[in-house]
Amino acid sequence: MSKQTLQLHSTEFTIHSLDVDSPVPTELFKQTLFFIAKTYDELSIVCPSDFAIKSLDAEHNWLALEVVGPLGFSLTGIMANISGVLAQANISIFAISTYDTDYVLVKKQAINDAIKSLKKDGYTVIGDSI
């Protein structure tokens, strides 16, 4: 399988944990890039750090690497390969998938090491390192 191209986004993100019954702030929908996930037990929101949300807990300082897509549903191992490279480099990730593509969030302080590891493994990364 050929290596995908990843696009580094300059927006800094925060991952929020909310009570499962919390309302989603309507102003969130005006943001350019955000993610919402809800299960029986939790509500998680990933959004730009400059968008304030009252949450139970929050993880700050994440940057997103987008797998340039769209990716077909028949493709396999994309996230496994990327996360494997980063795991070998001892870099923690937060993974998000959409209909068209995948996003790998990496802590801001580890992004240069992540990019270096991915490039060494044959990935193309578009965008400036931080």
Side-chain angles (χ1 to χ4, degrees), residues 8-46:
L8 174 64
H9 290 265
S10 61
T11 302
E12 193 170 312
F13 291 92
T14 298
I15 304 166
H16 295 275
S17 175
L18 293 88
D19 183 86
V20 69
D21 295 321
S22 294
V24 174
T26 55
E27 290 296 311
L28 177 66
F29 296 101
K30 294 180 181 176
Q31 297 297 307
T32 304
L33 186 60
F34 63 91
F35 306 92
I36 302 170
K38 183 176 180 179
T39 68
Y40 298 108
D41 301 319
E42 68 174 311
L43 172 63
S44 296
I45 296 175
V46 178

Coordinates of all heavy atoms in Angstrom, one line a residue, residues 8-46:
L8 N -1.1 19.1 7.6 CA -1.1 19.7 9.0 C -2.0 20.9 9.0 O -1.8 21.8 8.2 CB 0.3 20.1 9.4 CG 0.5 20.8 10.7 CD1 0.0 19.9 11.9 CD2 1.9 21.3 10.9
H9 N -2.9 20.9 10.0 CA -3.8 22.1 10.2 C -3.1 23.0 11.2 O -2.6 22.5 12.3 CB -5.2 21.7 10.6 CG -6.0 21.1 9.5 ND1 -6.8 21.8 8.7 CD2 -6.0 19.8 9.1 CE1 -7.3 20.9 7.8 NE2 -6.9 19.7 8.0
S10 N -3.2 24.3 11.1 CA -2.5 25.2 12.0 C -3.4 25.5 13.2 O -2.9 26.0 14.2 CB -2.1 26.5 11.3 OG -3.3 27.1 10.8
T11 N -4.7 25.2 13.2 CA -5.6 25.4 14.3 C -5.2 24.5 15.5 O -5.0 23.4 15.3 CB -7.0 25.2 13.8 OG1 -7.4 26.0 12.7 CG2 -8.0 25.4 15.0
E12 N -5.2 25.1 16.6 CA -5.0 24.4 17.8 C -6.4 23.9 18.4 O -7.3 24.7 18.4 CB -4.3 25.2 18.9 CG -3.7 24.4 20.0 CD -2.8 25.3 20.9 OE1 -1.9 26.0 20.4 OE2 -3.0 25.3 22.1
F13 N -6.4 22.7 18.8 CA -7.7 22.1 19.2 C -7.7 21.7 20.7 O -6.6 21.4 21.3 CB -8.0 20.8 18.4 CG -8.4 21.1 17.0 CD1 -7.4 21.1 16.0 CD2 -9.7 21.4 16.6 CE1 -7.7 21.4 14.7 CE2 -10.0 21.7 15.3 CZ -9.0 21.7 14.3
T14 N -8.9 21.7 21.3 CA -9.1 21.2 22.6 C -10.1 20.0 22.5 O -11.1 20.1 21.8 CB -9.6 22.3 23.6 OG1 -8.6 23.3 23.7 CG2 -9.9 21.8 25.0
I15 N -9.9 19.0 23.3 CA -10.8 17.9 23.4 C -11.6 18.0 24.7 O -10.9 18.0 25.8 CB -10.0 16.5 23.3 CG1 -9.2 16.4 22.1 CG2 -11.0 15.3 23.4 CD1 -8.2 15.3 22.1
H16 N -12.9 18.1 24.6 CA -13.7 18.3 25.8 C -14.5 17.1 26.1 O -15.0 16.4 25.2 CB -14.7 19.5 25.5 CG -14.1 20.8 25.3 ND1 -13.8 21.6 26.3 CD2 -13.7 21.5 24.2 CE1 -13.2 22.8 25.9 NE2 -13.2 22.7 24.5
S17 N -14.7 16.8 27.4 CA -15.6 15.8 27.9 C -16.7 16.5 28.6 O -16.5 17.3 29.5 CB -14.8 14.9 28.9 OG -15.7 14.0 29.4
L18 N -18.0 16.1 28.2 CA -19.1 16.7 28.8 C -20.1 15.6 29.3 O -20.0 14.5 28.9 CB -19.9 17.6 27.7 CG -19.2 18.8 27.2 CD1 -18.3 18.5 26.0 CD2 -20.2 19.9 26.9
D19 N -21.0 16.0 30.2 CA -22.0 15.1 30.6 C -22.8 14.7 29.4 O -23.1 15.5 28.5 CB -22.9 15.8 31.6 CG -24.0 14.9 32.2 OD1 -23.7 14.1 33.2 OD2 -25.1 14.8 31.6
V20 N -23.2 13.4 29.4 CA -23.9 12.9 28.2 C -25.1 13.6 27.8 O -25.5 13.7 26.7 CB -24.2 11.4 28.4 CG1 -25.3 11.2 29.5 CG2 -24.6 10.7 27.2
D21 N -25.8 14.3 28.8 CA -27.0 15.0 28.5 C -26.8 16.5 28.3 O -27.7 17.3 28.1 CB -28.0 14.8 29.6 CG -28.5 13.4 29.7 OD1 -28.7 12.8 28.7 OD2 -28.6 12.9 30.8
S22 N -25.5 17.0 28.2 CA -25.2 18.4 28.0 C -25.7 18.8 26.6 O -25.5 18.1 25.6 CB -23.7 18.6 28.1 OG -23.3 18.4 29.4
P23 N -26.2 20.0 26.5 CA -26.5 20.5 25.2 C -25.3 20.9 24.4 O -24.3 21.4 25.0 CB -27.4 21.8 25.5 CG -26.9 22.2 26.8 CD -26.5 21.0 27.6
V24 N -25.3 20.7 23.1 CA -24.2 21.2 22.3 C -24.3 22.7 22.0 O -25.4 23.1 21.6 CB -24.1 20.4 21.0 CG1 -23.1 20.9 20.0 CG2 -23.9 18.9 21.2
P25 N -23.3 23.5 22.3 CA -23.5 24.9 22.1 C -23.8 25.2 20.6 O -23.0 24.8 19.8 CB -22.1 25.5 22.5 CG -21.5 24.4 23.4 CD -22.0 23.1 22.9
T26 N -24.8 26.0 20.4 CA -25.2 26.2 19.0 C -24.2 27.0 18.2 O -24.0 26.9 17.0 CB -26.6 26.9 18.9 OG1 -26.5 28.1 19.7 CG2 -27.7 26.1 19.4
E27 N -23.4 27.8 18.9 CA -22.3 28.6 18.3 C -21.2 27.7 17.7 O -20.5 28.1 16.8 CB -21.8 29.7 19.2 CG -22.7 30.8 19.5 CD -23.1 31.6 18.3 OE1 -22.1 32.0 17.6 OE2 -24.3 31.9 18.1
L28 N -21.1 26.5 18.2 CA -20.1 25.6 17.8 C -20.3 25.3 16.3 O -19.3 25.2 15.6 CB -20.2 24.3 18.5 CG -19.3 23.1 18.1 CD1 -17.8 23.5 18.4 CD2 -19.6 21.8 18.8
F29 N -21.5 25.3 15.8 CA -21.8 24.9 14.4 C -21.3 26.0 13.4 O -21.2 25.8 12.2 CB -23.3 24.7 14.2 CG -23.7 23.4 15.0 CD1 -24.4 23.6 16.2 CD2 -23.4 22.2 14.5 CE1 -24.8 22.5 16.9 CE2 -23.8 21.0 15.3 CZ -24.5 21.2 16.4
K30 N -20.9 27.2 13.9 CA -20.3 28.2 13.1 C -18.8 28.0 12.9 O -18.2 28.7 12.1 CB -20.6 29.6 13.7 CG -22.1 29.9 13.6 CD -22.3 31.3 14.2 CE -23.8 31.6 14.2 NZ -24.1 32.9 14.9
Q31 N -18.2 27.1 13.7 CA -16.7 26.9 13.6 C -16.4 26.2 12.3 O -17.2 25.4 11.8 CB -16.2 26.1 14.8 CG -16.4 26.7 16.1 CD -15.6 28.0 16.2 OE1 -14.4 28.0 16.0 NE2 -16.3 29.1 16.6
T32 N -15.3 26.4 11.7 CA -14.9 25.8 10.5 C -14.6 24.3 10.6 O -15.0 23.6 9.7 CB -13.6 26.5 10.0 OG1 -13.8 27.9 9.9 CG2 -13.2 26.0 8.6
L33 N -14.0 23.9 11.7 CA -13.7 22.5 11.9 C -13.9 22.1 13.3 O -13.4 22.7 14.2 CB -12.2 22.3 11.5 CG -11.7 20.9 11.5 CD1 -12.4 20.0 10.5 CD2 -10.2 20.9 11.2
F34 N -14.8 21.1 13.5 CA -15.1 20.6 14.9 C -15.6 19.1 14.7 O -16.0 18.7 13.6 CB -16.1 21.4 15.6 CG -17.4 21.5 14.9 CD1 -18.4 20.6 15.2 CD2 -17.7 22.5 14.0 CE1 -19.7 20.6 14.6 CE2 -18.9 22.5 13.3 CZ -19.9 21.6 13.6
F35 N -15.6 18.4 15.8 CA -16.1 17.0 15.9 C -16.9 16.8 17.1 O -16.5 17.3 18.2 CB -14.9 16.0 15.9 CG -13.9 16.3 14.7 CD1 -12.8 17.1 14.9 CD2 -14.1 15.6 13.5 CE1 -11.9 17.3 13.9 CE2 -13.3 15.8 12.5 CZ -12.2 16.7 12.6
I36 N -18.0 16.1 17.0 CA -18.9 15.8 18.1 C -19.1 14.3 18.1 O -19.4 13.7 17.0 CB -20.3 16.5 18.0 CG1 -20.1 18.0 17.9 CG2 -21.2 16.1 19.2 CD1 -21.4 18.7 17.5
A37 N -18.9 13.7 19.3 CA -19.2 12.2 19.4 C -20.0 12.0 20.7 O -19.7 12.6 21.7 CB -17.9 11.4 19.5
K38 N -21.1 11.2 20.6 CA -21.9 10.9 21.7 C -22.1 9.4 21.8 O -22.4 8.8 20.8 CB -23.2 11.7 21.6 CG -24.1 11.5 22.8 CD -25.4 12.3 22.8 CE -26.2 12.0 24.0 NZ -27.5 12.8 24.0
T39 N -22.0 8.9 23.0 CA -22.3 7.5 23.3 C -23.4 7.5 24.4 O -23.8 8.5 24.8 CB -21.1 6.7 23.7 OG1 -20.6 7.2 25.0 CG2 -19.9 6.9 22.7
Y40 N -23.6 6.3 24.8 CA -24.6 6.1 26.0 C -24.0 6.8 27.2 O -24.7 7.1 28.1 CB -24.9 4.7 26.2 CG -25.6 4.0 25.1 CD1 -24.9 3.1 24.3 CD2 -26.9 4.3 24.8 CE1 -25.5 2.4 23.2 CE2 -27.5 3.6 23.7 CZ -26.8 2.7 23.0 OH -27.5 2.1 21.9
D41 N -22.7 6.9 27.3 CA -22.0 7.3 28.5 C -21.3 8.6 28.5 O -20.9 9.2 29.5 CB -20.9 6.3 28.9 CG -21.5 4.9 29.1 OD1 -22.6 4.8 29.7 OD2 -20.8 3.9 28.7
E42 N -21.1 9.2 27.3 CA -20.3 10.4 27.2 C -20.7 11.3 26.0 O -21.2 10.8 25.0 CB -18.8 10.1 27.2 CG -18.4 9.5 26.0 CD -16.9 9.3 25.9 OE1 -16.1 10.3 26.1 OE2 -16.4 8.2 25.6
L43 N -20.3 12.5 26.1 CA -20.4 13.5 25.0 C -19.0 14.1 24.9 O -18.5 14.6 25.9 CB -21.4 14.5 25.2 CG -21.5 15.7 24.2 CD1 -21.8 15.2 22.8 CD2 -22.5 16.7 24.7
S44 N -18.4 14.0 23.7 CA -17.1 14.6 23.5 C -17.1 15.6 22.3 O -17.8 15.3 21.3 CB -16.0 13.5 23.1 OG -15.8 12.6 24.1
I45 N -16.5 16.7 22.5 CA -16.4 17.7 21.5 C -14.9 18.1 21.3 O -14.2 18.3 22.2 CB -17.2 19.0 21.9 CG1 -18.7 18.6 22.0 CG2 -17.0 20.1 20.8 CD1 -19.6 19.8 22.5
V46 N -14.5 18.1 20.0 CA -13.2 18.5 19.7 C -13.4 19.8 18.8 O -14.1 19.8 17.8 CB -12.4 17.5 18.8 CG1 -11.1 18.0 18.4 CG2 -12.3 16.2 19.6

